[in-house]
Amino acid sequence: MRPRYLSAHEVSEALREGNLSPEDYVYSIYENIRRLNNKLNAYISLRPVEVVLEEVKKSIKIGGKLSGALVAVKDNISTKGIRTTCASRMLENYVPPYDATVVELLKREGAVIIGKTNMDEFAMGSTTETSYFGPSRNPWNLSKVPGGSSGGSAVAISAYLATVSLGSDTGGSIRCPAAYTGIYGLKPTYGLVSRYGLVAYANSLEQIGPMARNTMDLALLLSVIASYDSRDATTIPGKRPDYYRTLGSFKMDNLRIGVVREMFGEGVDKRVAKTVLRVVDKLGFEVEEVSLPSLKYALPAYYVIAMSEASSNLARFDGVRYGFRAKIEGDWNTVYSMTRARGFGWEVKRRILLGTFALSAGYYEQYYLKALKIRRLIVEDFNRAFKDHGVLVGPTMPIPAFDIGEKIKDPLTLYMVDVETVPANLAGIPALSVPAGFVDSLPIGLQIMGPILSEPLLLNVSAIIEETTGLRNLLPPGA
Ligand code: GLN
């Protein structure tokens, strides 16, 4: 088997025991990148092969849970000495002086960063088309979107251009591209993973999370990055369980699965719904339909909150201390305005404007406050449903991957594809996307949601689904 096809847990062991040479592993992946990345556009920055090879050799000696494994990191996660652009002209040449906490943790366990992945600009989007560096492409069909905003991280994994990857998920950005490229992706409980060093888009909603080709790697990567962090006051105190070790040892005999009625409603492709339900029925657990009525307001509430937070978070990009600055003379207002007019793309500017509007005097109560009230109702709906059901399921995406260019000109129709993923972010609960099958030769994702801190349960359900479907380490044509 070619070394690039190995899973993270296999790579570390094989390297440590000398059954795999660092050269064979690293060259196997770089060769594939050379062959495919021009088409797929998964990476914004790729580190030189010699540097990476040296680091792999060193890290094998040191050891660790991920020793020697090549990890691709979304380009909104701060990496010391490696350009971190957020796929924006604004940060095109920004090289951070520090590592995000998750990157520190990866390095501590011997992982080696191979490069930084393409994404929607500042993580605003669901297709990777708003990137300043051009769209990524879906390895299953090059004319289709790979999903977003962590599209590059998903493509890198699904096309075997890295072994595992990190994404970030504000309203579905890990789960959407995971579903569209046939891999596994987890948005952790809010506060499980440190956001220190993640460039903020909407901080009350987002989490960094793992992306992988199978459940074991997903659990392994989560066990490395999940931790309390004194530098992120929103992280939950206390030790995290070993998600990797507990895999398979979980008692689930009386698990009841709730199928969320609202997630199979209007706008959901019938073939997608069928694919998901067929898998759920095969698992052998008790399955019941549940209703979460407030979910019909989730999408507008999400966009009001996300844009409001974005308008405030992105105010820091002023061209004064770092990042792009418009080359013009003038007073502060002029330079600030022109810097932002030229440095940000359309989607980012649209959201800053709408968010500023939603927070302005007179409209605050009408939009932002109302959205917060809906958020509370959604939390209550989930709490009620979790009293009787261990996990809830639905499709990850309402429709299969669509053509590049098909929706990007019409923001509202594009926002609609997030309808299944945003509820988990509003409620702060963990949600995991697993491959469920194919429609028109494109992968379809099944979404599992659980109560706060139920990651061990979600990962065990994911492992059972993986076992049932056999859909692991999928190989797109040409990869
Ligand atoms: N598509 C959603 C948005 O554009 C979610 C993006 C994300 O999770 N970062 O806001």
Side-chain angles (χ1 to χ4, degrees), residues 189-210:
T189 299
Y190 187 76
L192 189 79
V193 176
S194 169
R195 285 182 298 108
Y196 179 78
L198 170 69
V199 179
Y201 155 25
N203 31 3
S204 84
L205 298 161
E206 59 208 4
Q207 277 287 286
I208 294 171

Side-chain angles (χ1 to χ4, degrees), residues 74 76 120 122-127 148-150 168-175 201 206 302-303 306 347 351 414-415 417-418 421-422 425:
K74 188 176 182 179
N76 59 351
D120 283 291
F122 284 101
M124 297 174 186
S126 313
T127 61
S149 64
S150 317
S168 73
D169 190 312
T170 312
S173 279
I174 289 175
R175 291 160 286 157
Y201 155 25
E206 59 208 4
Y302 167 80
Y303 271 98
E347 185 58 30
R351 293 186 188 208
L414 189 53
Y415 297 168
V417 303
D418 299 333
T421 47
V422 299
N425 301 77

Side-chain angles (χ1 to χ4, degrees), residues 129-243:
E129 288 168 287
T130 70
S131 169
Y132 176 62
F133 301 95
S136 298
R137 290 176 181 274
N138 193 319
W140 293 91
N141 179 338
L142 296 177
S143 63
K144 304 288 178 188
V145 300
S149 64
S150 317
S153 288
V155 173
I157 296 313
S158 58
Y160 297 80
L161 313 178
T163 298
V164 282
S165 66
L166 290 185
S168 73
D169 190 312
T170 312
S173 279
I174 289 175
R175 291 160 286 157
C176 158
Y180 278 180
T181 59
I183 63 168
Y184 294 72
L186 168 71
K187 181 205 86 75
T189 299
Y190 187 76
L192 189 79
V193 176
S194 169
R195 285 182 298 108
Y196 179 78
L198 170 69
V199 179
Y201 155 25
N203 31 3
S204 84
L205 298 161
E206 59 208 4
Q207 277 287 286
I208 294 171
M211 303 174 83
R213 294 183 293 254
N214 54 66
T215 309
M216 264 169 115
D217 274 2
L218 200 67
L220 181 59
L221 191 52
L222 182 68
S223 73
V224 170
I225 61 170
S227 91
Y228 167 72
D229 183 6
S230 59
R231 293 175 298 189
D232 173 0
T234 63
T235 48
I236 301 165
K239 241 180 99 62
R240 274 62 173 149
D242 188 330
Y243 304 100

Side-chain angles (χ1 to χ4, degrees), residues 73-79 84 100 102-103 116 166-167 197-198 208:
V73 175
K74 188 176 182 179
D75 212 18
N76 59 351
I77 299 173
S78 190
T79 42
T84 298
V102 292
V103 172
K116 304 296 293 292
L166 290 185
L198 170 69
I208 294 171

